[in-house]
């Protein structure tokens, strides 16, 4: 595809349920990032993958959050036992490398009710 | 830890007027600074980076290390400039971007 693709675009879930958010990076991009965009909070870094290196998970807000990247391409962000404060837009970005410009997806708007 | 501050959440100007979106940062080393823009219902995209010293869509930004600022400026605002603007910082050899909270710019006709 021409850009970073995220699915679903919108997700409404009940408090306590688990959700999975998917990111398809630009082909050939070795670096992949997840950010969270909350109302009035700006963009908050969550996790970063670079090639086969161990991911930088330092931005994950709690152990309910996890992410994986299979085969160096598609990534899934999983939130277990969702809480209302998890409601936000989750953005994925990819780049050719850590020192190259990042391209963002359209985001997944998560609403926990 | 590094930090980016955008003091104005909302900024409104008239078409043709100059506009300046403020960005201040705190970081003890030499960072890379960026401006990202998000137009309505579009994805976040890079507008410009300080190392390129370029002008994009009439916007410029100069890194002032003494004042730790990277303000975004345009001499004559256009209605199509209305968008959310984020200032972001990347530390030396770092990978992640640290974003400010954003400024919503509205250019009125």
């Amino acid at each position: 595809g021409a850009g970073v693709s995220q699915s679903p675009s919108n997700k409404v879930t009940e408090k306590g349920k688990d959700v999975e958010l998917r990111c398809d990076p630009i082909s050939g991009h070795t670096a992949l990032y997840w950010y969270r965009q909350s109302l009035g909070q700006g963009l908050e870094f969550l996790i970063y993958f670079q090639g086969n290196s161990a991911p930088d998970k330092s931005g994950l807000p709690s152990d309910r959050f996890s992410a994986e990247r299979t085969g160096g391409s598609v990534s899934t962000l999983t939130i277990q036992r969702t809480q209302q404060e998890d409601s936000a837009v989750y953005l994925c970005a990819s780049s050719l490398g850590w020192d190259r410009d990042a391209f963002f997806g359209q985001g997944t708007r998560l609403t926990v009710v | 830890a590094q930090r980016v501050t955008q003091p104005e959440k909302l900024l409104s100007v008239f078409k043709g007027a100059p506009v300046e979106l403020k960005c201040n940062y705190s970081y003890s080393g030499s960072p890379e600074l960026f401006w990202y823009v998000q137009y309505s219902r579009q994805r976040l995209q890079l507008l410009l980076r300080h190392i390129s010293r370029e002008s994009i869509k009439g916007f410029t930004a100069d890194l002032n290390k003494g004042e730790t600022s990277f303000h975004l400026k345009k001499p004559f605002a256009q209605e199509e400039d209305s968008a959310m603007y984020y200032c972001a910082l990347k530390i030396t050899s770092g990978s992640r971007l640290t974003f400010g909270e954003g400024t919503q710019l509205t250019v009125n006709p």
Side-chain angles (χ1 to χ4, degrees), chain A residues 17-19 21 34-38 44-47 49 57-68 76-90 110 112:
Chain A
K17 293 284 179 68
D18 297 352
V19 293
L21 312 180
W34 283 98
Y35 290 85
R36 180 167 68 175
Q37 188 176 28
S38 305
E44 173 190 14
F45 167 79
L46 298 177
I47 189 169
F49 296 89
K57 304 180 182 180
S58 59
L60 295 178
S62 78
D63 58 8
R64 295 186 295 105
F65 287 72
S66 63
E68 62 177 22
T76 303
L77 177 69
T78 301
I79 309 174
Q80 296 179 308
R81 305 181 301 282
T82 52
Q83 304 295 313
Q84 288 186 331
E85 60 262 29
D86 299 334
S87 296
V89 176
Y90 289 81
L110 175 67
V112 182

Side-chain angles (χ1 to χ4, degrees), chain B residues 60-90:
Chain B
T60 59
D62 290 318
L63 179 61
N64 186 323
K65 293 186 178 181
E67 296 184 358
T68 60
S69 68
F70 188 57
H71 303 327
L72 183 68
K73 301 176 184 179
K74 185 169 183 176
F76 308 102
Q78 303 299 312
E79 290 181 66
E80 56 265 30
D81 296 328
S82 296
M84 178 69 86
Y85 291 80
Y86 291 96
C87 183
L89 173 155
K90 181 182 286 192

